[in-house]
Amino acid sequence: MIPKSHPRYKSLKTRKLLERGVRDGITSLNGLIAHGRGEAFDYLLGEKTHDFARKAIKAAAAMLLLAKRPVISVNGNTAMLVPKELVLLAKLLGAPLEVNLFHTSYERLQKIKKHLEQHGGKNILLPSKRCRIAHLDSPRKYVNPDGIFKADVVFVPLEDGDRAEALIKNGKNVITVDLNPLSRTSQKATVTIVDNIARVMPLLITAVRNLKNDDARKVHAISKIDNKKYLLKALKEITLHVK
Ligand code: PTJ
């Protein structure tokens, strides 16, 4: 039991959540390593949402709303960290949730699907061995024919670089959430939100709600997308913490 007075209460609770994810067969062991890397960057960013992330969130909301076939990709970390929020975002956008794993297995795919359903998710898509995207050799090349395969915009938080690049080469716009502004995913994505997924999801949901019925603001937000600028600002923020 972690005492609420502990200065790192939130962070320790999150670690416990992912520990449970591993025990329940949802998060991969590699997911813990990925989380540790994320935590280090979050620490350097002062564990708060910066202006560059808010701008990227607005752009991401507009892009998802203007997409013809948006899809939300879920892995073993995001399934544990933000299941309710992913389900709500999917509902607001009328977009499917598709489980797509790096360290994949039939059991993990099924467990994550069930976990999302327990949080209200409906018609969760899984990859099919008969459908693949080009330019990728890892198991993540397998996708659902009615989901990522046909998508024009894919939301892929906490992604590995290879797939982000492959999705772009397959003609899709890619929105990611990654605390590391130097990761290949961050560099390759169309829009990178450099912030913690736990802070991003509620803000993204609010942005989608705010922009939903305002076409002019959606188009304006898209016209302002400058991913390189978001990343440079994030890097600058990190170096500001070095005294
Ligand atoms: O469940 P699977 O098998 O699909 O595997 C998922 C992971 C995340 C393990 C897999 O995609 C992977 O290995 O990813 P990477 O290449 O380690 O990249 C994950 C990125 O997410 C890193 O750049 C981390 O800094 C970042 N990250 C980790 N935790 C968070 C985060 N970004 C935002 N919020 C976080 N909480």
Side-chain angles (χ1 to χ4, degrees), residues 75 172 226 236-237:
N75 67 23
K172 300 168 194 309
D226 188 344
K236 200 166 165 200
E237 185 59 42

Side-chain angles (χ1 to χ4, degrees), residues 10-201:
K10 230 183 191 170
S11 151
L12 295 176
K13 284 287 278 187
T14 308
R15 286 182 182 188
K16 281 264 167 233
L17 192 64
L18 289 177
E19 235 183 88
R20 207 183 78 210
V22 172
R23 270 201 308 273
D24 292 350
I26 289 174
T27 310
S28 75
L29 270 176
N30 279 274
L32 300 182
I33 298 170
H35 182 73
R37 185 150 47 148
E39 267 193 342
F41 279 99
D42 207 9
Y43 205 81
L44 291 169
L45 284 160
E47 296 176 317
K48 64 177 188 188
T49 303
H50 293 276
D51 199 43
F52 51 80
R54 286 184 197 280
K55 289 202 170 103
I57 287 169
K58 195 169 169 189
M63 192 173 263
L64 286 165
L65 283 164
L66 287 172
K68 286 197 174 67
R69 299 186 74 101
V71 173
I72 300 166
S73 181
V74 183
N75 67 23
N77 283 50
T78 55
M80 261 339 262
L81 293 174
V82 283
K84 266 198 328 248
E85 293 82 355
L86 289 169
V87 167
L88 179 55
L89 181 68
K91 206 168 149 193
L92 283 171
L93 294 168
L97 291 165
E98 179 167 339
V99 186
N100 189 287
L101 304 177
F102 187 71
H103 311 277
T104 196
S105 72
Y106 175 80
E107 289 74 24
R108 271 187 80 217
L109 288 167
Q110 293 299 328
K111 282 181 176 167
I112 293 173
K113 180 173 188 263
K114 195 165 160 217
H115 183 69
L116 292 169
E117 284 166 352
Q118 282 164 349
H119 285 85
K122 299 228 163 29
N123 308 318
I124 314 288
L125 303 179
L126 297 179
S128 157
K129 279 271 157 70
R130 289 189 301 270
C131 181
R132 56 165 298 179
I133 54 165
H135 311 291
L136 191 62
D137 289 326
S138 79
R140 290 191 130 176
K141 65 184 172 219
Y142 297 117
V143 292
N144 188 288
D146 295 317
I148 290 172
F149 187 72
K150 284 188 187 152
D152 53 347
V153 176
V154 192
F155 179 55
V156 279
L158 281 64
E159 176 62 325
D160 76 290
D162 275 6
R163 191 165 71 125
E165 195 170 0
L167 288 169
I168 298 267
K169 283 188 185 161
N170 279 270
K172 300 168 194 309
N173 280 317
V174 170
I175 300 166
T176 195
V177 179
D178 194 326
L179 280 157
N180 177 2
L182 290 171
S183 77
R184 244 163 9 103
T185 306
S186 291
Q187 308 276 330
K188 297 286 174 190
T190 320
V191 176
T192 305
I193 304 166
V194 183
D195 195 9
N196 196 314
I197 185 75
R199 289 192 298 271
V200 169
M201 287 307 293

